[in-house]
Amino acid sequence: MQADFPSWVANRQTRFEQVLRELLPSADVAPQRLHAAMRYSVLEGGKRVRPLLAFAAGELAGAPEGRVNFAAAAVELIHAYSLVHDDMPCMDDDVLRRGKPTCHVEYDEATALLVGDALQSLAFQLLSEQRLSDDAGRQLQMVKLLAVASGSRGMAGGQAIDLSSVGKQLTLPELEQMHIHKTGALIRAAIMLGAQCGSDNNRGNGLNEAQLDHLDRFGKLIGLAFQVVDDVLDCEADTATLGKTAGKDADNDKPTYVSLLGLQGARDMAQRLHREALESLDGFGDAARRLRELADFIVLRKF
Ligand code: GRG
């Protein structure tokens, strides 16, 4: 019998935490302060939504867990780097992340900058040195997938649009473009990388191209839903629950789904995206159970 969703999540999170502990350089190894700050920024915090999505997609594709561990870790390291840089004074200038002082507050700005740089490099080191596929060409495509998702045509580009849109009124399509890049691209990449760890057709498992397209659509829709919910929570939830400063978007005069659509409009949009995301999984049957449960969590979460 399959575990219930909370048990599956807890089990995955515990095992993945151990994977991250082992992959990150020890704080005893030089340069100790940088390594300690990297571990501080990655370990013991965060919901691990992107790794969980990678594991769920990996299960759907029959991927070996050992391979998905590396893909999930690479995505989580990129995510952690983006949070460290986003919190810095030159960007969002925040003091609280994952319920503890942000990296530049706990250490210093130069260290925080280097933490982000080094986490990003480590992510690509993992993708290139660990075996993720029996097919070297496919593995190279996976490295490219993460590079595009995190670069100027993905997350970093979305962040650039975000920074330049402060104090401006964006249209709904403009806001959507910003978030598809800033938040959605990495979520989508997590799902696709997890699935591609199982796509060795010579091993008799994996998903075909049409199935990968359905999964990609799911990733796009649920990535956007994640951001709509994030905007709602920024208005509704308190700082203690979020583990980061609440109400920052309005304080910073940032365009959000709530500022454009109102609270109820944003909630309705999240529901619509959720419904459409689930529809894109229709052809997978029970094998996509964890992805459906994660989609529900993303839309119903309170933190
Ligand atoms: C600095 C290149 C660069 C990019 C920054 C991710 C990001 C782009 C900025 C973070 C600011 C933010 C609030 C983004 C919106 C959604 C988001 C990514 C929230 C944080 O992700 P969670 O909720 O965080 O998954 P945890 O801590 O649970 O991992």
Side-chain angles (χ1 to χ4, degrees):
M1 205 180 72
Q2 279 195 316
D4 60 45
F5 181 62
S7 308
W8 180 81
V9 168
N11 187 285
R12 283 284 171 191
Q13 284 173 332
T14 306
R15 294 209 314 255
F16 185 62
E17 195 68 21
Q18 190 53 32
V19 169
L20 288 174
R21 279 183 191 289
E22 286 167 17
L23 290 176
L24 282 159
S26 162
D28 296 332
V29 171
Q32 285 92 344
R33 186 174 163 81
L34 176 59
H35 288 156
M38 288 166 72
R39 297 180 77 86
Y40 176 84
S41 302
V42 175
L43 298 175
E44 289 157 25
K47 297 178 286 295
R48 310 297 191 207
V49 166
R50 295 155 194 79
L52 289 170
L53 285 165
F55 286 120
E59 282 185 17
L60 176 63
E65 180 179 332
R67 292 186 181 185
V68 186
N69 275 340
F70 295 119
V75 172
E76 187 65 10
L77 295 178
I78 296 281
H79 171 57
Y81 121 66
S82 80
L83 298 181
V84 169
H85 279 188
D86 182 67
D87 289 333
M88 289 181 68
C90 59
M91 294 211 196
D92 214 25
D93 194 9
D94 216 327
V95 295
L96 190 70
R97 173 68 66 183
R98 294 175 164 175
K100 46 188 194 180
T102 47
C103 183
H104 68 277
V105 170
E106 183 71 13
Y107 291 87
D108 54 72
E109 277 184 45
T111 303
L113 194 65
L114 291 173
V115 163
D117 295 342
L119 291 177
Q120 171 155 221
S121 300
L122 183 56
F124 286 103
Q125 184 187 333
L126 290 179
L127 285 194
S128 53
E129 78 183 0
Q130 302 292 340
R131 180 179 289 269
L132 304 178
S133 172
D134 290 341
D135 177 345
R138 183 177 285 276
Q139 177 145 351
L140 211 51
Q141 286 301 316
M142 292 167 78
V143 177
K144 180 178 168 185
L145 195 154
L146 188 63
V148 172
S150 51
S152 64
R153 287 182 290 149
M155 181 184 74
Q159 178 78 347
I161 303 172
D162 184 316
L163 292 172
S164 65
S165 68
V166 172
K168 288 191 188 148
Q169 185 72 25
L170 296 187
T171 63
L172 199 55
E174 285 170 340
L175 189 67
E176 194 168 292
Q177 273 311 302
M178 175 170 100
H179 288 309
I180 279 177
H181 290 89
K182 183 178 128 176
T183 315
L186 201 57
I187 289 180
R188 206 168 162 185
I191 294 167
M192 296 313 284
L193 286 175
Q196 296 210 16
C197 285
S199 289
D200 287 329
N201 292 328
N202 55 343
R203 290 153 53 93
N205 57 20
L207 304 178
N208 62 38
E209 290 305 319
Q211 288 174 314
L212 287 171
D213 283 348
H214 286 298
L215 206 53
D216 193 37
R217 179 169 164 72
F218 169 77
K220 184 177 173 187
L221 291 164
I222 211 62
L224 197 53
F226 184 96
Q227 182 61 51
V228 180
V229 171
D230 211 70
D231 286 357
V232 169
L233 290 175
D234 189 68
C235 282
E236 279 190 328
D238 56 46
T239 297
T241 310
L242 292 180
K244 61 179 180 180
T245 314
K248 288 269 313 196
D249 295 336
D251 289 352
N252 291 345
D253 199 15
K254 277 192 176 178
T256 67
Y257 286 99
V258 176
S259 69
L260 233 68
L261 302 174
L263 253 180
Q264 192 52 47
R267 283 198 205 102
D268 291 345
M269 181 170 175
Q271 292 302 335
R272 181 175 57 76
L273 291 166
H274 179 219
R275 202 171 47 245
E276 289 175 13
L278 292 181
E279 280 166 14
S280 64
L281 298 178
D282 275 351
F284 289 111
D286 197 47
R289 171 183 165 182
R290 297 305 182 200
L291 284 173
R292 289 191 193 94
E293 290 170 332
L294 282 165
D296 297 345
F297 167 74
I298 283 170
V299 175
L300 299 174
R301 72 198 163 100
K302 300 284 175 235
F303 59 98

